[in-house]
Every structure is written in structure tokens, then in C-alpha cells.
Amino acid sequence: MKWDMEIDEVEAVLEKIWDLHDKLSDAIHSISRSHFLDTIKAVSKKSGDKQPSQLHQQQQQGGGEEEKRSSGYVFVKDFGVYSDALQEAKSLNSIRTALENLEDQLEFFHTVQIQQRAERDAALARLEQSRVILAMRLAEHNGKKYKVIEEALAFVGDVGDANRCIFPENLYGPSNSTDDDLAIQKGNTLMKYLISSFNFVKGSLGLDHMGRILGNAALVAVTMVAVLNFSQAKQREHVHKHHDDLYSRNTSKKPPKLPGFILDLICSYQASPFHSVLAYLHDQGLKSFMIKLCGSSKFSSKSSVVTMRASYSSSSSVLVPSHDHIVRLILDQKTASSSLRTFQWVANLPGFTHSQSTCRALIHKLCSFRHFEDAYHVLNKMRGSIGLVPEEDIFLTIVRGLGRARMIKESIKVLDLVRKFDQEPSLKVYNSILDVLVREDIDVAREYYRKKMMGNGIKGDEYTFGILMKGLCLTNRIGDGFKLLQVMKSSSVKPNAVVYNTLLHALCKNGKVGRARTLMNEMEDLNDVTFNILISGYCKEENLVQALVLLEKCFGLGLVPDLVTVTKLLELLCNNERIMEAVKVLERVESRGGAVDVVVYNTLIKGFCNSGKAKLGRSLMKDMEVKGCLPNVDTYNILISGFCESNMLDAALQLFNEMKMDGLRWNFDTFNVLIHGLCSRGRLLDGLKILELMEETKKGGGANDRIRPYNSILYGLYSENLTHEALDFMTRMEQLFPKQVDRSLKILEFCRKGIMDDAMRIYKQMNGEGMFPGAMVFDALVRGLCAEGRAREAFDIINEMISHHYLPIALTFNFLIALFCRQGKALNGFKLLEDLVGRGCLPDRESYTLLVQGFCETGDLPRAWKVLLQMADKGIYPNDLVWKSLLCCASKETGWLENDAAFRMCSLLKSDITR
């Protein structure tokens, strides 16, 4: 391999190295996946009868499909040792490491090449610019034509002579230009000069790539200066040929004309780099060129943050920027000092005079940075230096700035500031100060209203009372709010919808929706905000009937509630299992032109999924796509969860794959929901594959949430009664979650030793810190507490386990049933079993045997007989202990032969023996 390569050749070699690196990584990954499959199969065979046949079949199927799937498996260390696979993986890893070292060295060589070319370009650009400056000075000579000047011109060459210019691109290959191409080369001189200037700045700034904003701005600025110099030199060349016009052209001092393609180039930049260009031109003393740039029509038509517009001054032919442009320029500054410097600099432009809008913009920026002293200084200069009397909007700007700074006393002093300029504060100024005060202290605001406003004879308007009502409601002074409402009714200012809605919102927020409904009847002008407040209030109280009544009234007045209100109402309907009514409400909102977004549809889809109708939710998602509302990640997550809850795992996996095809990125919730659904329903291998994919995409939730998918894997192992494998997996989790795993292992150890007080202490500490224990922790706590006879605590642990979406297996809750039976509370055990079965838990023969024995020991033969019938209905046949307990209990009953119970028992016993 030869290393004397050009930059393009080096980049091609790097691409090849990256391709080889990816292929090596895929090969290592394939070995890891195969190693895990072989190991998990070996573990499954060792499990024997403890592992259900369903998992065994899935493992056999997974072995045949492993090469068809692209995502692979998690490589768990120490599951098993296969020397051949390990040695092969190590060999490939060493090759990949050597390849990475070669890549690093080649990238360093590539960087050196680029830097050397940049330095060479910079030197050539400086040389060229020096020649151009000399040619310009020769062309600008206005005196006697000395022979030495002509010789110097012949030696240096003029700016427009492309054959005598030195460009970097001419040095990278031989020139093949002919006489026929000479005219074309002269026509492209300007573009070549532009490229030379770009290369010069590129080398000067050390930029290998032109993507940085400030670098681009500097490049554009210097390029424009170069073009300006070129245009001047070109003009001087033409003047040199026509000596008679030279003097008249020099005395006109017109700003140079900006070439059109440069304007096109600048128009592609955003506002901030363009301002950097303006600053650069200003520092170079090229104010006329900057004004010409600001006044270009190309910027007038540009609909961006900075709209460049200029107008001709009536007394001068020089183009000056408009006030609107200067306002935007000031507001775009990032610091108060830069805003002030911009304001002062613009004041020195010929033909420009500051206005109320430019002064207000500067004061706004100064107040935003809390430079109030500078703002007051600008205010004083307006009447002195600028000759303007501050208008009302400027004082309002100061009041709002003081309010944002929470300087309420200084905001009141603005009244004196207004009078300082021989003006009386307007009602708008008074209201603005009042609005600042009510946000901080309603008592100060009320005192200000009485003394400063009413004391000076200022009569408030509807805005004044609206501000006061807002302040009273924010502090929950609803009684004072009603008093203010009565004052308004008795005055000339009648309460409007804003005042009523403010009071309605306060009532609903405090749970007084009925009182709010009564107040609504007093309103003359109802609007959509009124219904939004009341419908949301009833939804908060879960009063569905009244919420629907108000919805009908809202529709009857031709009004439509907003998105938030509609979402709350649909959610309440879905929670009450009235999903089809929710669909009709949505259709009515859409038919009346109401706004509907993806959140509204997600609420309905979630309602379908929670009611076990995930397929209808999927159909609704297709309908929303047809209507132009695209689903988001939350939509797919809800549907995946719904399909998993309905045990339609293949449909959930299909949705998972559709997300990628639709251009949506999986998030942490997507992986968490799918992994839990797969592992909790016996598809542990698929859950491991999704977990590996999550690790590859590096999707993680919060600090405590990240452990949830791993806990789901633990739950899958626990559900299949693979206790040792679950403990092994938990130990390997310690590298990712050291704190949580350490505490979990301590709980398991304390439970094994019977030190339950310490185990419960650590468990409560984990809950207090927001950690999520795994299924193995819950199982160990239930067993340990039952061993000590602490039935109530064990029952609470089972409830918390279910709240984490971990359904206990029969081996876990059988300990609690046995404890209840030993305590003579077999009925509690029976109720526990019924509740767990209703939640989806699967009891075994031991569960029913314990209950039959418990009821028989207390002489409760009817309930024992009921448990026996439930066993028969579920296809679980009693063992000898059950029959023995029933016969012993029945023999003690005096009337057991008088009914058919004995005959039915004998019939069941006979059928059991036959089987």
C-alpha cells in the first residue's frame, strides 16, 4: 500500500477501513449471539421438569430462526465456556484493534495534509492580495504619468488580468488553457479572486471545514471586502484607459456596486452571521459599503428574522437603513453593551436620526439585562441630544422590565418619572404598574389602587378591575372577588367575560364547581373559555353527567371546547368504559371545526387498549392518518402495551418494526413496554433480543427507570422458575446498577438468614429513594415474612409486587395461603386466591390442596367442597391429601349421608382413580 496519496485518495482508504471495521464487529457479534443461544439451551435442558414445555418449544423454535433475525442476543458472561468460540472472538477483536490503530494514524496523516494545503493557500492568497494592492495603488495614481508607473503596471499586471494572477488551483495541476480559452478565463477572474480570498481566510482561521457559523460569517465578510477591492481596481483600470473621466469619477465618491452573486451568497446565511459581516465592515471603515448592503433589494424580499430595508434620504443620495431595520438589529444583540454600542454607532450614520421605536428597542434590551440606570440615562438623552419626548410605550417597557426584575417599589416610581417629562401618566401606565403589583403582593396592589389611582381621581376601566380580580383569585380570596364583582355591577364599568371567567376558574380550582355553575347563569356573554373552565372542573370531580350537559349547551351556542377540555372529557368517558360515546364526541368536535391533535387520538386509543380492544385502537390510528394527523411514538407505545396486555405479542412486535419503517425512533418506553410484555408472557428469548437492541441504540430513561427492562428479564426468569439463572443475571447487572443490585442482594441474604427486620429496612430505603426492586426481592420477602408469621406484611408485599406489574407465581403466594390456613383463617386464603386469579395469576394443585385442608381442619365442609369443584373446573385433579381431608371432615358430619354430597364425592373419587 502506497502512502504518497492525495487528500481524496486518503478519504477513500478511510472509507474502506470503516467498512472493514463494521464487518469485523458484525462477525464478533455473531459469535457472541451463537454462544448465548447454545448456553441458554444447555441451561434449559438442565432445568428438567421445572421449566414449562412452552418455553422449551420456544427455545427450539428460536434455534431455527436465530440466523433469520437481525438483532441477535445478549452475550452473558460465564453462562458457559466454549473455548473455540472464545478464542475466535479474541482473534477477531485483536484484528479489529490493529485496524483501529491504522485508522487513527491515517486520520492524523489526513489532518496534516489538510493543514499543509490550508497554509499554502493562505500564503498564496496573501501574495496575491499584496499584488492586487500594488496594482490598485498604481491605478489610483492621478498625477503625471511617469514612465516608472507604466513599467510597474507592466510588471505587476492589472487586477483584471487573469494570466498574471496566481491562484492556488493553478498549482495543483498543469494548465491546459489555450488562446481560445483566454476570454473565458478573463471573464472568470472575479470568481477566481473570490476563491483566493476564501482560501486565505480559511487558512488564517484554521478552518478545515466551512460549517461553523462565525467562520462562515468571517469568510463572507472578507470575501465581500475582496470583491469591493476588485471592483474598485476594475473601475480604476477603466478610468486609466479614459483619463478624461478619471477626475469626475473620483470626486463622485459613490459607494461601490455590490455584485449580484455575492448578495445571493449572503442571503443564504442567517441573521447572526450577517450581523457579524456588518460588524466586520464597520470595523474596516466601510460604512458606505455596509449601508449599500443593508439597502439591497435582495434583503428587502427576504422573510427572515432580519429584514433588510433601506430608503433614500430626501436630502442626500446616500442610502440609509430604516428604523425598522435598526430596531431588529438592536433587539438581536446578545448583551446590553453591544445593544448600546449599536445604538451609538447608528447615530453617527449620515442621514440617520433615531426615533421612538429605536429608543424603545434599546431600553427594552437594557431592561432585559437589568441595566436600569443606563435605561434612565437613554431616557434623559432623548429629550436632550436626540430631541424626542418619550412616548407612553417607552414607559410601559420600563414598567414591565421592573416587573420582571420584581422591583415593585421602583415600578411605582415610574409615575414620577413620567411627570419629570411634563406629562401625566395615562390609565394604561397605571394599569401596567397595577399588573406588576398584583403578581407580587395583592395587598400592596390594593393600596396602590386606593391611594395612587382613586386618590388622584383616576377611574379604572374593565382592565383595571380585571387585574384586581386576577390578583384576588391568585391568592384564593374568592370572597373579596365577589365583593369586587358587586362593586363593578354598581358602577359604570360592567363586568365582562374576562372578569367572570377569572372568578369561575378560581371557584373550580377550589372544588366549588356548583357555585361556579350558578355564577355562569349570571353571565350575558358566554364564550368558549367559560365552558372550558366548567367542563374541566366537572371532569376533575369525575361528574360525567354534568360535563356532558355543558358540552351539549356549548354545542348549542355554536361554540367548541379546546383541545385540553376535549382530552379530559374523552379520558373520563374511557375510564367509565363508555368508549363509543367518546368516539361520537370526537366526531362532533371535528364536524364543528374543532381542533384535534394526536394527544386526543392517543387518549381514545388508550381507552380501547385498556378495555382489551387493541385492534380497534389500531383501526383508529389508521383513521387518524387518513385525516392528516400522524401518530407519534406515544401512539405506538400505547398500542404495543395494549397488544401485550391482550397477549397478541406478534402484533406488538409488528408494530415495533413498523415504527422504524415509518421514520419514528424507539424511545425507552417503547423498549420497556415490549420487553415486559414478552417476558411476562413466556417469550423470554424475544425479550432478551429486544434488550440487546436497546443496548445497541443506547436508549435509557431516568437514573432509576433504566433498570426496569432488566427487571423484566428477571421477572421472566422468575416466572419460569429459573431461580439460579435469575440470581446469576442479577449479579451481572451489578456493573450497570451497582447500588440497586447491591441492596437487592443484601435483602436476599437477610431473607435467607431469617433477619427480616433488616431486610424490610433496606426494602423501605429502596422505595424511599425511588428504586425498583425485582421480582426475586418480592418473592424472598414474602417467603421470609410468612416464615415468621407476619401475614399482614406479606400481604402488603404481594400488593406492591402487583403494583409493579409483577404477578406472583403459585410458589410465592402459596406461602401466604399456607400461613392463613395455619392461623385458622382459611377463608382469608380463599379470598386471596380468588383475587389473584382475577388478576391473572395461575394457581397450582398445591394452592387448592392447602385451602381444602384448611377448611377441613375448621370443619367447614361446604367451602372445602366448593374448592374441590373449582379444582375440577380448572382441570386440576386432587391428590391423596385432599381426599383424605375431605373424608375425615365428612365423617364427622352427622347429616352428610342424607344428601347427595357423599355420592358426588365418591363419583369424583372414582373418576380420579380411573384417570
Side-chain angles (χ1 to χ4, degrees):
M1 181 180 291
K2 297 181 180 180
W3 300 116
D4 52 343
M5 298 179 290
E6 296 295 333
I7 294 179
D8 295 339
E9 296 174 334
V10 174
E11 292 175 350
V13 174
L14 282 173
E15 290 286 347
K16 182 62 177 177
I17 290 177
W18 295 333
D19 182 61
L20 293 174
H21 186 278
D22 293 340
K23 291 180 179 179
L24 284 171
S25 299
D26 292 340
I28 296 173
H29 182 71
S30 177
I31 295 172
S32 173
R33 180 178 58 187
S34 301
H35 170 74
F36 180 81
L37 273 174
D38 295 337
T39 306
I40 200 68
K41 289 177 183 177
V43 173
S44 301
K45 291 180 180 179
K46 291 179 182 179
S47 300
D49 296 334
K50 294 182 180 180
Q51 183 179 5
S53 60
Q54 182 181 1
L55 180 62
H56 181 68
Q57 293 174 359
Q58 290 174 359
Q59 288 178 343
Q60 289 178 342
Q61 295 172 358
E65 297 178 356
E66 64 170 294
E67 294 181 358
K68 298 180 182 179
R69 301 177 182 261
S70 59
S71 53
Y73 294 87
V74 179
F75 182 82
V76 183
K77 296 181 180 179
D78 298 336
F79 249 78
V81 179
Y82 290 84
S83 58
D84 294 340
L86 185 60
Q87 292 300 325
E88 185 179 358
K90 286 183 177 180
S91 176
L92 290 176
N93 184 61
S94 62
I95 296 174
R96 183 173 61 178
T97 303
L99 189 65
E100 290 172 352
N101 182 49
L102 176 62
E103 177 187 351
D104 293 339
Q105 298 302 323
L106 193 59
E107 285 182 346
F108 176 74
F109 175 69
H110 184 239
T111 304
V112 171
Q113 277 188 318
I114 294 175
Q115 184 176 1
Q116 289 176 349
R117 171 169 287 190
E119 293 175 354
R120 186 178 186 182
D121 291 348
L124 291 171
R126 294 190 189 99
L127 177 63
E128 174 61 18
Q129 288 192 347
S130 300
R131 188 196 66 79
V132 170
I133 292 173
L134 177 57
M136 290 169 55
R137 297 295 178 266
L138 292 170
E140 289 173 355
H141 180 67
N142 299 330
K144 184 178 178 181
K145 289 187 176 181
Y146 295 98
K147 186 176 181 180
V148 65
I149 293 178
E150 295 179 356
E151 293 178 0
L153 280 172
F155 170 72
V156 176
D158 49 41
V159 181
D161 192 350
N163 290 330
R164 300 189 182 187
C165 292
I166 302 175
F167 296 104
E169 60 270 21
N170 294 336
L171 299 177
Y172 299 131
S175 176
N176 298 324
S177 60
T178 61
D179 295 337
D180 296 333
D181 299 330
L182 188 57
I184 299 176
Q185 292 180 6
K186 289 184 178 180
N188 293 333
T189 302
L190 183 60
M191 184 56 69
K192 291 183 178 180
Y193 190 75
L194 174 63
I195 294 172
S196 178
S197 300
F198 264 107
N199 290 332
F200 164 66
V201 178
K202 178 182 175 182
S204 301
L205 299 178
L207 298 175
D208 297 335
H209 303 284
M210 317 291 269
R212 301 178 183 178
I213 293 178
L214 295 178
N216 286 340
L219 288 173
V220 173
V222 176
T223 303
M224 289 191 298
V225 174
V227 173
L228 172 62
N229 295 334
F230 181 85
S231 301
Q232 291 175 344
K234 189 71 176 176
Q235 184 182 26
R236 294 295 184 265
E237 177 193 0
H238 185 68
V239 172
H240 185 68
K241 295 180 180 179
H242 302 278
H243 184 265
D244 295 338
D245 298 333
L246 180 63
Y247 182 78
S248 61
R249 290 179 182 270
N250 289 336
T251 56
S252 63
K253 296 183 180 179
K254 293 181 180 179
K257 183 178 180 181
L258 191 64
F261 73 91
I262 291 298
L263 286 178
D264 292 332
L265 179 64
I266 299 172
C267 284
S268 64
Y269 285 82
Q270 299 298 325
S272 180
F274 182 75
H275 291 158
S276 302
V277 173
L278 293 180
Y280 181 89
L281 296 176
H282 174 258
D283 294 339
Q284 297 297 323
L286 301 172
K287 294 183 180 179
S288 60
F289 186 83
M290 188 200 66
I291 295 173
K292 181 70 176 177
L293 180 62
C294 293
S296 171
S297 60
K298 290 185 178 287
F299 291 98
S300 326
S301 60
K302 190 171 172 63
S303 57
S304 61
V305 179
V306 180
T307 303
M308 300 301 173
R309 290 187 298 181
S311 58
Y312 279 97
S313 174
S314 58
S315 59
S316 173
S317 61
V318 178
L319 205 60
V320 296
S322 67
H323 291 116
D324 182 63
H325 163 243
I326 299 303
V327 166
R328 295 172 184 271
L329 191 62
I330 293 173
L331 293 177
D332 285 338
Q333 300 306 307
K334 301 302 181 183
T335 61
S337 58
S338 62
S339 301
L340 190 57
R341 286 197 302 268
T342 303
F343 183 85
Q344 295 170 349
W345 164 72
V346 174
N348 297 325
L349 291 178
F352 182 83
T353 304
H354 279 294
S355 64
Q356 295 282 349
S357 60
T358 57
C359 294
R360 184 172 65 251
L362 177 61
I363 291 175
H364 171 76
K365 292 297 291 185
L366 294 174
C367 291
S368 299
F369 292 98
R370 301 192 179 187
H371 289 203
F372 295 105
E373 293 298 329
D374 294 336
Y376 295 148
H377 180 69
V378 172
L379 204 62
N380 293 328
K381 286 188 65 177
M382 286 183 64
R383 186 166 61 176
S385 303
I386 303 177
L388 296 174
V389 178
E391 293 180 349
E392 177 187 72
D393 290 341
I394 293 180
F395 294 111
L396 294 177
T397 301
I398 295 176
V399 171
R400 291 162 186 158
L402 292 169
R404 287 191 296 269
R406 308 185 72 174
M407 302 170 65
I408 58 176
K409 294 183 178 179
E410 285 73 9
S411 64
I412 299 176
K413 295 179 181 179
V414 175
L415 298 174
D416 299 329
L417 183 64
V418 176
R419 297 187 181 99
K420 180 180 176 181
F421 290 91
D422 302 327
Q423 302 180 48
E424 279 299 321
S426 64
L427 180 59
K428 198 172 182 179
V429 174
Y430 278 106
N431 287 341
S432 181
I433 297 174
L434 181 64
D435 187 52
V436 170
L437 297 178
V438 297
R439 298 176 187 272
E440 297 297 328
D441 194 332
I442 184 60
D443 294 324
V444 175
R446 296 173 74 178
E447 182 180 1
Y448 164 82
Y449 173 73
R450 288 193 299 267
K451 292 183 178 180
K452 297 293 183 179
M453 296 184 68
M454 297 180 64
N456 292 329
I458 303 298
K459 295 182 178 181
D461 58 0
E462 56 186 8
Y463 294 102
T464 307
F465 289 104
I467 293 170
L468 287 172
M469 182 65 74
K470 179 180 67 175
L472 293 172
C473 292
L474 285 174
T475 54
N476 288 329
R477 300 187 183 186
I478 299 177
D480 292 337
F482 276 101
K483 292 179 181 179
L484 179 63
L485 186 64
Q486 294 300 323
V487 171
M488 293 183 66
K489 291 179 180 179
S490 60
S491 66
S492 58
V493 181
K494 301 301 178 182
N496 57 11
V498 176
V499 175
Y500 274 110
N501 289 337
T502 304
L503 191 54
L504 288 175
H505 183 267
L507 289 169
C508 293
K509 186 177 67 173
N510 287 274
K512 300 178 181 179
V513 187
R515 182 69 182 90
R517 176 69 179 277
T518 304
L519 180 62
M520 186 194 74
N521 296 330
E522 301 178 6
M523 297 178 61
E524 296 179 358
D525 298 326
L526 300 174
N527 57 18
D528 55 346
V529 178
T530 308
F531 288 101
N532 289 335
I533 294 171
L534 287 170
I535 293 175
S536 298
Y538 279 122
C539 289
K540 184 179 179 181
E541 292 186 347
E542 297 185 357
N543 192 338
L544 182 57
V545 175
Q546 292 298 326
L548 292 175
V549 169
L550 282 177
L551 180 66
E552 291 296 332
K553 188 173 182 178
C554 179
F555 287 152
L557 295 175
L559 302 174
V560 181
D562 62 7
L563 285 170
V564 178
T565 306
V566 172
T567 304
K568 292 179 180 178
L569 184 57
L570 294 180
E571 185 177 7
L572 183 58
L573 285 168
C574 293
N575 292 339
N576 285 270
E577 299 182 356
R578 299 169 65 173
I579 304 174
M580 300 314 298
E581 291 185 46
V583 174
K584 292 180 180 179
V585 169
L586 179 61
E587 292 175 351
R588 295 177 66 185
V589 170
E590 290 178 327
S591 64
R592 285 167 171 77
V596 177
D597 63 354
V598 66
V599 179
V600 177
Y601 281 105
N602 287 348
T603 304
L604 270 182
I605 293 173
K606 187 176 182 180
F608 279 119
C609 292
N610 290 340
S611 61
K613 301 176 181 178
K615 289 185 177 180
L616 291 178
R618 178 92 183 259
S619 300
L620 182 60
M621 184 184 73
K622 294 180 179 178
D623 292 340
M624 65 182 281
E625 290 180 312
V626 172
K627 295 177 181 179
C629 184
L630 297 179
N632 57 12
V633 179
D634 294 332
T635 311
Y636 280 94
N637 291 346
I638 293 170
L639 283 172
I640 290 173
S641 176
F643 280 119
C644 289
E645 292 295 328
S646 301
N647 204 22
M648 302 171 65
L649 302 180
D650 291 332
L653 288 170
Q654 183 179 357
L655 276 174
F656 180 78
N657 294 325
E658 284 183 10
M659 291 181 66
K660 189 172 184 180
M661 291 186 293
D662 291 343
L664 292 175
R665 293 185 178 181
W666 302 309
N667 59 15
F668 174 76
D669 291 333
T670 310
F671 289 105
N672 183 40
V673 168
L674 185 56
I675 292 173
H676 181 77
L678 292 170
C679 294
S680 61
R681 285 160 181 83
R683 295 179 63 169
L684 179 60
L685 294 181
D686 288 333
L688 285 169
K689 292 176 63 177
I690 301 299
L691 179 65
E692 181 194 14
L693 185 60
M694 185 190 76
E695 292 174 343
E696 290 177 355
T697 55
K698 298 180 180 179
K699 294 292 183 182
N704 292 327
D705 287 336
R706 284 195 314 115
I707 199 174
R708 286 183 178 270
Y710 297 89
N711 279 343
S712 296
I713 300 295
L714 286 175
Y715 176 64
L717 294 169
Y718 158 79
S719 299
E720 302 296 342
N721 200 20
L722 299 175
T723 306
H724 297 292
E725 289 78 1
L727 291 174
D728 196 20
F729 187 82
M730 182 188 295
T731 304
R732 283 157 179 76
M733 287 168 52
E734 193 169 7
Q735 295 181 353
L736 297 174
F737 314 99
K739 191 174 183 180
Q740 298 186 28
V741 173
D742 177 67
R743 293 185 178 180
S744 297
L745 293 175
K746 285 183 179 179
I747 291 175
L748 296 179
E749 182 66 18
F750 283 136
C751 291
R752 187 181 65 82
K753 294 179 179 180
I755 312 175
M756 296 309 301
D757 290 336
D758 290 343
M760 290 298 296
R761 176 180 54 80
I762 297 177
Y763 170 74
K764 292 178 181 179
Q765 187 178 6
M766 291 181 68
N767 285 337
E769 296 179 4
M771 297 182 182
F772 300 103
M776 299 298 298
V777 173
F778 290 112
D779 176 71
L781 288 173
V782 171
R783 293 173 183 243
L785 291 171
C786 290
E788 293 187 358
R790 299 159 69 171
R792 184 63 193 179
E793 294 179 73
F795 180 77
D796 293 337
I797 293 296
I798 287 181
N799 284 333
E800 292 184 19
M801 183 178 183
I802 295 174
S803 68
H804 285 77
H805 304 286
Y806 301 140
L807 295 179
I809 60 176
L811 291 176
T812 301
F813 58 76
N814 283 348
F815 280 92
L816 185 55
I817 293 176
L819 177 60
F820 280 134
C821 293
R822 288 198 305 270
Q823 295 176 348
K825 301 177 181 179
L827 182 59
N828 291 342
F830 181 71
K831 291 180 179 179
L832 172 65
L833 183 63
E834 285 186 332
D835 181 65
L836 292 175
V837 170
R839 295 175 182 269
C841 296
L842 299 176
D844 58 2
R845 180 179 298 176
E846 181 69 17
S847 306
Y848 292 106
T849 301
L850 291 170
L851 288 174
V852 170
Q853 288 180 315
F855 283 126
C856 290
E857 289 176 359
T858 58
D860 194 346
L861 184 59
R863 287 196 173 93
W865 177 251
K866 184 178 180 180
V867 173
L868 180 65
L869 294 179
Q870 288 184 1
M871 291 180 67
D873 291 339
K874 292 184 177 295
I876 301 175
Y877 291 93
N879 55 16
D880 294 340
L881 292 176
V882 173
W883 294 118
K884 182 179 179 180
S885 299
L886 285 171
L887 290 173
C888 291
C889 181
S891 63
K892 298 178 183 179
E893 294 288 334
T894 58
W896 76 287
L897 290 174
E898 299 177 358
N899 52 40
D900 61 344
F903 298 101
R904 295 177 62 185
M905 185 183 301
C906 293
S907 176
L908 287 173
L909 179 59
K910 181 179 180 181
S911 63
D912 185 35
I913 294 173
T914 303
R915 291 180 181 272

